Each structure stands twice: as structure tokens, then as C-alpha cells.
Amino acid sequence: MDENLMPALRRAGSLPDRVKIVEVGPRDGLQAEKAEVPTDIKVELVNRLSSSGLSNIETASFVSPKWVPQMADGRRVMADIDRREGVVYSALVPNLRGFESAMESEVDEVVIFGAASEAFSQRNINCSLAEAIDRFAVVAQAAKDAGMRLRGSISCCFGCPYQGAVPLESVLDVVRRFSDLGCDEIDLADTIGVGTAGQVARVVEAAAKRFPIGQLSGHFHDTYGQALANIFAAMQVGMNIFHSSVAGLGGCPYAKGATGNVATEDVLYLLNGLGVQSGVDIDVILNAGDFISRALGKPNGSRAGRALLARAA
Ligand code: HMG
Ligand code: MG
């Protein structure tokens, strides 16, 4: 970018030059859809996303189909997609049974997922935080033995639908536990989108004292319309990995009222305006967002996506 056009914020060095976007639409997005989404639609979505320059796509979830029926076809999705070199395909894995599926499907990155809130843990994975860590330890070890990347996702870092406020110490405790399990990356997730920019900056800064900032990521749902501001605040304190969902798909089956992740199109529009590189082609993402919104028969949840598609029409 021309130095004269570079926004003052970047010149001042308070924003990263480059961020990694982890696209979570095919998993976090689609898992919340009530009607069954055909496998070939999921496959086409992943293929469209992987042709955009994205380097990491959360593609499947090897959880109990009784708990999340929409994700029951994870093996077929993984088998049918065109694997693109350089793209990390991730999958959620709650236990060894899920790990076996992940191995057989040749996923690149195993994602274990816990919560900073005891109440959410019970409702999401039917066990206490301490029990969850024990289960994850086995999965983490198996992933490490197999030479796979390991990511730990922490729900409710900024608030919980059941217990309300979540103490910072609880977040930091799970960061430490996931770090001890050997996670390569740890997500701080705002499951219900209640966090605000100042709070995000505080939590990210505190977490960065326990785990390298370059391996911490922000997973913001946009329920209260704060996600872009939160990403901006997190970038200012050095975070440079963010999760987003094409067309703003999603929610969480165990977090009533939570809307989707921040839309990938909206994040790209923000980053492009700031001159922060992501390596992702917004036009390809726009078309993928249009494709999946039409396939699901619902309005496109990305505001930038809707505006840019309308302008192009
Ligand atoms: P459970 O019922 O306590 O344990 O589930 P279980 O071992 O008795 O399993 C129940 C049944 O599921 C059994 O079948 C198992 O065989 C089967 P049955 O004997 O009754 O016929 N089962 C499995 N089947 C396939 N693959 C497996 C598997 N495991 C068990 N891996 C369990 C415990 C953890 C399995 C369950 O609670 C579960 O699957 N939960 C998943 C919840 C989930 O996926 N939530 C959404 C993802 S988290 C999220 O979205 C948050 C995130 O985006 C960040 C954020 O925004 O906060 C990451
Ligand atoms: Mg989520």
C-alpha cells in the first residue's frame, strides 16, 4: 500500500501487517442450521472457500450425532472435498472416538474445546471443566503422537449464557491448562457475542502473559454487533489470528440467542480498508457467501457482503 494512503494507525505500528483468518462457517456456521444441509452443499462450500486464499478452514466436527446431528456427515465431507495444498483443514474432537474419525479423515488440525464457565461446560459437553480437561488430555496426546496440529478453543471468555459474568482468572486457568496440553493455538471465544472492546483488550493482554500472542486467536460471535470493534481492539494489543464465518453463518446450539460468528466478508472489508494483509480474496468469499445463503434459503448475514453483492449486480 502507498505510504501516503496508509492509515495513521498502521503507520504508528499499532496494527499487525498481516492476520490469519480461520474460516469456521462450514463447522460453527452450519452446525446451527436446523434443516439438514446436504453433504454436497457442504463440500462445495469448503471448496469455494479453499480457493479464496484462506489457509485454515474448520471443516467438520466429530462429535456425537445425537448432540449435533448436522455434523454427522463429517467423514463424508472430509473425504469428498478437494484438498488444497497449504490449507489446514480442522475438525472439532471431543473424545478418542472423535479422534479416530479425525485420523481416518486425515484432518490437519484437531480442535479440543472447553469453556471458561463451568455451567456452559455442563451444557455443551455434559461434564465438568475438570473432567473435560482429562478427556482432552487423552485426545491432545493422541494428536501430538500422530504429529497433528492441536488447537484449544475456550468458550465463554467474555460472558456465559448461564452464569453471566466470567472471571478473568477462569479464562486464564483454561489458557494455562490448554497450554500444558501442548496446544499450538488457543482461541478466546465470545460464544454469545457480549464482549466489548475494552474488555477484549484486557482479556487478550492478560492471556498473552500466559501464552504467546501470535498463537492466540479471537473467535467473536456478533450477537451484540461488537465483533468488528472487538477484532480491532484485539489487533491493537497484538492479536493476529481471527475466526470468522462466511455470510455470518451460525450460532451455537447450546447458547440460545447467540448469532453467527462475525462474517468473513465484514472482517475482510475492515482489514482491506486498514491495509492489513490476509491473503484472502474478498470476491471469492462474496460468491461463496452468496452461494451458501441461496442454498440455505436465507438472507446473507454479512452486511458488507450484501452491500458489495448489490453493488455488483
Ligand atoms: P455424552 O452423551 O455425555 O457421552 O456426550 P457418551 O459418551 O455417552 O455419548 C453419547 C452417544 O454419542 C453414544 O451413543 C456415543 O457412542 C456417541 P449411544 O451409545 O447412545 O448410541 N458418541 C459419539 N459418536 C460419534 N462421534 C463421537 C462420539 N462421542 C460419543 N465423537 C459428548 C459427550 C462430548 C460426546 C457430547 O456432549 C458431544 O458430542 N458434544 C458436542 C457438543 C458440540 O459439538 N457443541 C458445539 C461445538 S462447541 C462450539 O461451537 C463453541 C466454539 O465455536 C467456540 C465458541 O464459540 O464458544 C468452538
Ligand atoms: Mg463459536
Side-chain angles (χ1 to χ4, degrees), residues 5-250:
L5 295 176
M6 193 184 275
L9 274 165
R10 285 217 43 228
R11 274 201 308 270
S14 53
L15 290 176
D17 292 331
R18 192 179 176 86
V19 303
K20 175 172 93 171
I21 296 191
V22 179
E23 169 62 51
V24 297
R27 195 286 301 173
D28 206 358
L30 294 184
Q31 79 176 3
E33 288 300 315
K34 294 256 176 327
E36 190 186 329
V37 181
T39 306
D40 57 344
I41 297 287
K42 296 177 180 170
V43 168
E44 170 141 14
L45 176 64
V46 175
N47 287 343
R48 283 173 178 255
L49 292 167
S50 69
S51 67
S52 71
L54 281 162
S55 60
N56 193 341
I57 303 177
E58 207 170 87
T59 309
S61 199
F62 295 112
V63 299
S64 164
K66 291 195 173 132
W67 285 68
V68 188
Q70 186 65 259
M71 293 283 103
D73 59 350
R75 278 168 175 267
R76 278 196 291 138
V77 173
M78 285 301 302
D80 289 356
I81 54 174
D82 299 327
R83 298 287 286 254
R84 192 174 278 259
E85 219 180 307
V87 177
V88 169
Y89 295 89
S90 314
L92 264 60
V93 173
N95 52 24
L96 276 182
R97 167 116 184 244
F99 179 75
E100 274 161 33
S101 301
M103 274 286 279
E104 282 160 25
S105 303
E106 297 180 12
V107 310
D108 301 303
E109 182 183 63
V110 162
V111 183
I112 53 181
F113 51 105
S117 137
E118 192 65 49
F120 190 82
S121 181
Q122 288 291 353
R123 286 192 173 68
N124 192 36
I125 48 178
N126 204 21
C127 66
S128 72
L129 255 170
E131 285 168 332
I133 299 291
D134 286 346
R135 284 192 207 171
F136 294 142
V138 186
V139 175
Q141 190 58 51
K144 291 273 139 189
D145 290 347
M148 293 156 101
R149 268 181 66 85
L150 178 69
R151 169 151 63 85
S153 196
I154 311 177
S155 291
C156 300
C157 290
F158 306 93
C160 167
Y162 309 112
Q163 75 175 46
V166 172
L168 177 59
E169 276 314 312
S170 307
V171 178
L172 299 180
D173 185 51
V174 187
V175 168
R176 184 183 53 77
R177 289 166 185 264
F178 274 175
S179 173
D180 290 348
L181 291 184
C183 285
D184 298 293
E185 213 163 286
I186 296 180
D187 315 329
L188 303 178
D190 188 2
T191 314
I192 50 170
V194 288
T196 55
Q199 179 192 14
V200 165
R202 277 195 302 280
V203 174
V204 172
E205 271 193 320
K209 295 198 174 101
R210 312 277 169 106
F211 196 71
I213 185 82
Q215 292 161 252
L216 280 173
S217 63
H219 176 112
F220 299 112
H221 285 255
D222 204 21
T223 317
Y224 287 75
Q226 302 300 302
L228 287 182
N230 290 342
I231 288 175
F232 193 81
M235 283 197 294
Q236 286 195 304
V237 293
M239 186 176 253
N240 58 15
I241 309 172
F242 296 100
H243 294 192
S244 62
S245 169
V246 64
L249 294 174

